[in-house]
């Protein structure tokens, strides 16, 4: 039997990949999406999206369910539980994508594998790494496990602020620590956070200029070693759990040696057309160099990469052409 050659294989079924698939499937291109887990990626762990234009408020899983339905209705095929391990450019220009037990070939590929939680890298983080033992990277998922308890949340970005506000709905007390005295998060979120911390009898405390140097306990978290980076004062701070929100790392290990990556592992591309170093391989979303790491921009990337496919099909030499001005 002849092997199916897809028009496009999309690696990753998060917002970027699903947006790309919407456009390719509406263009009647034979589209296969390969997803390591289930569609959605990081956005599945968000219970409140209120910066996606046109939608006042929605949770991640609902949005993803709708996006998924939309692409499947237009004919895209989604294979969940398919972890891509390797890609290979063939002499005829096609690209073979290898999964654990399977391989498939396409005329072009859109890489949209997203990003994962960055680790703090302190003693105890690995040892207590599940919500039962006390270390978590997802407040949306694990906050209910800490009802009435005292938790420490770490970070100063949008995720840290949003997730800390969510955790405060469940926990008896939340101590948020940030390594500086100014938040990276959007002003509107910081205002909400400070308003919550300033409420009379608030269960939210913020400690600035503070880092965690160890997570400690016996079988489960019992305290965090805190250090004030200005005074160098250290203390063992009692708590039942630690939520770590210190940013994201691109999921690109499997691409080493195939496409060019930056030192931090982001996929190099030209930002106008999202072409990578390998002809026929586009990139979209959080995993690319220069990504704004937003839902709306990931979706925009997916759409752009899908539209650029046609330029490549029309003329593969277009890959090397400079960006039109
Ligand atoms: P982020 O914006 O990179 O913020 C990471 C935070 O962790 C920063 O405050 C950083 O401190 C701190 N940090 C990093 N390494 C640390 C360490 N080793 N020890 C202590 N603190 C450390 O990451 P994010 O909040 O996960 O967000 C990722 C992207 O998604 C961002 O572009 C963000 O805007 C976006 N996002 C948007 C929304 C939204 O718009 N609603 C929601 C979630 C995420 P410094 O500030 O000192 O560097």
């Amino acid at each position: 039997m002849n092997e199916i050659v897809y028009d496009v294989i999309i690696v990753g079924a998060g917002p970027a990949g699903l947006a790309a698939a919407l456009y390719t499937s509406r263009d009647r291109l034979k589209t296969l999406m390969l997803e390591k887990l289930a569609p959605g990626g990081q956005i599945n762990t968000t219970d409140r999206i209120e910066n996606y234009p046109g939608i006042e408020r929605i949770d991640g899983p609902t949005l993803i369910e709708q996006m998924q339905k939309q692409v499947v209705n237009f004919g895209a095929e989604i294979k969940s539980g398919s972890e891509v391990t390797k890609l290979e450019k063939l002499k005829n220009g096609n690209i073979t994508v290898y999964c654990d037990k399977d391989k498939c070939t396409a005329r072009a590929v859109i890489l949209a594998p997203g990003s994962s939680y960055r680790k703090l890298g302190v003693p105890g983080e690995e040892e207590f790494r599940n919500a039962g033992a006390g270390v978590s990277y997802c407040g949306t998922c694990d906050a209910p496990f800490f009802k009435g308890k005292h938790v420490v949340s770490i970070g100063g970005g949008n995720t840290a602020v949003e997730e800390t506000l969510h955790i405060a709905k469940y926990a008896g007390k939340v101590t948020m620590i940030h390594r500086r005295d100014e938040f990276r998060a959007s002003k509107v979120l910081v205002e909400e956070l400070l308003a919550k911390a300033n409420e009379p009898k608030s269960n939210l405390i913020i400690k600035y200029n503070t880092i965690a140097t160890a997570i400690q306990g016996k079988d489960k978290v019992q305290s965090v070693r805190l250090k004030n980076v200005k005074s160098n004062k250290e203390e063992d701070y009692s708590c039942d759990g630690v939520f770590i929100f210190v940013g994201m790392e691109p999921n690109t290990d499997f691409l080493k040696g195939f496409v060019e990556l930056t030192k931090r592992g982001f996929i190099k591309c030209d930002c106008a057309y999202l072409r990578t170093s390998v002809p026929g391989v586009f990139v979209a979303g959080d995993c690319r160099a220069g990504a704004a790491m937003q839902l709306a921009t990931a979706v925009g990337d997916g759409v752009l990469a899908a539209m650029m496919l046609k330029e490549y099909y029309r003329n593969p030499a277009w890959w090397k052409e400079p960006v039109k001005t």
Side-chain angles (χ1 to χ4, degrees):
M1 205 171 74
N2 285 340
E3 186 196 11
I4 300 172
V5 175
Y6 288 89
D7 290 313
V8 58
I9 292 176
I10 300 170
V11 179
L18 287 163
L22 178 61
Y23 273 64
T24 58
S25 55
R26 278 173 58 84
D27 259 339
R28 301 292 183 222
L29 296 173
K30 194 162 177 52
T31 301
L32 173 65
M33 303 193 77
L34 297 172
E35 165 57 47
K36 181 170 154 185
L37 302 167
Q42 289 298 329
I43 204 77
N44 269 336
T45 61
T46 304
D47 73 342
R48 141 178 137 156
I49 298 164
E50 49 187 27
N51 55 358
Y52 191 68
I55 296 181
E56 204 172 350
R57 190 182 264 219
I58 193 168
D59 62 88
T62 305
L63 180 67
I64 289 300
E65 196 189 324
Q66 290 173 6
M67 287 175 108
Q68 193 182 337
K69 265 192 204 150
Q70 215 179 359
V71 304
V72 170
N73 284 344
F74 283 113
E77 192 183 329
I78 304 180
K79 275 193 191 172
S80 296
S82 293
E83 179 166 8
V84 174
T85 51
K86 195 175 88 168
L87 289 94
E88 188 183 1
K89 177 90 178 163
L90 306 178
K91 281 206 180 94
N92 64 4
N94 290 344
I95 298 132
T96 297
V97 182
Y98 294 82
C99 296
D100 276 348
K101 298 179 194 114
D102 216 356
K103 63 174 185 168
C104 348
T105 297
R107 294 162 67 201
V109 165
I110 298 174
L111 298 171
S115 55
S116 300
Y117 304 117
R118 180 178 295 143
K119 307 289 173 302
L120 206 54
V122 298
E125 183 176 12
E126 274 307 310
E127 187 186 341
F128 299 113
R129 195 191 156 179
N130 68 64
V135 171
S136 170
Y137 300 86
C138 179
T140 308
C141 324
D142 296 332
F145 295 118
F146 294 91
K147 216 166 175 191
K149 304 238 167 109
H150 176 203
V151 299
V152 168
S153 75
I154 304 174
N158 280 328
T159 305
V161 173
E162 282 184 356
E163 293 283 71
T164 299
L165 285 167
H166 180 74
I167 295 163
K169 291 180 200 155
Y170 295 86
K173 178 176 161 191
V174 186
T175 302
M176 182 179 199
I177 66 162
H178 180 33
R179 64 183 177 185
R180 293 190 288 143
D181 56 7
E182 196 187 331
F183 285 102
R184 180 180 293 276
S186 313
K187 293 284 172 277
V188 66
L189 287 173
V190 176
E191 284 165 16
E192 201 180 325
L193 181 83
L194 297 181
K196 171 81 189 161
N198 290 330
E199 278 173 7
K201 296 193 183 153
S202 177
N203 66 341
L204 173 62
I205 295 170
I206 303 170
K207 281 180 180 273
Y208 297 98
N209 301 313
T210 302
I211 57 167
T213 55
I215 299 169
Q216 308 165 132
K218 195 170 180 298
D219 302 327
K220 57 189 180 101
V221 171
Q222 289 169 319
S223 67
V224 198
R225 184 93 185 140
L226 298 184
K227 181 178 173 183
N228 183 300
V229 292
K230 289 260 158 92
S231 65
N232 282 330
K233 253 188 164 172
E234 294 195 33
E235 61 176 319
D236 283 330
Y237 194 73
S238 286
C239 64
D240 306 296
V242 179
F243 283 87
I244 299 171
F245 307 116
V246 295
M248 309 299 297
E249 304 275 7
N251 296 326
T252 54
D253 274 0
F254 69 102
L255 294 167
K256 280 181 188 154
F258 177 67
V259 280
E260 280 178 24
L261 303 176
T262 66
K263 270 195 199 135
R264 288 180 54 209
F266 290 93
I267 301 167
K268 289 188 183 175
C269 64
D270 74 65
C271 294
Y273 300 152
L274 303 180
R275 298 173 292 193
T276 69
S277 57
V278 178
V281 178
F282 293 87
V283 62
D286 289 6
C287 59
R288 76 166 171 88
M293 311 291 251
Q294 300 293 306
L295 169 62
T297 53
V299 164
D301 272 9
V303 172
L304 177 61
M307 294 185 76
M308 290 298 129
L309 277 179
K310 282 178 272 184
E311 294 290 332
Y312 173 66
Y313 292 150
R314 185 183 51 76
N315 172 24
W318 164 81
W319 205 265
K320 303 279 178 209
E321 283 178 16
V323 170
K324 274 193 197 126
T325 53

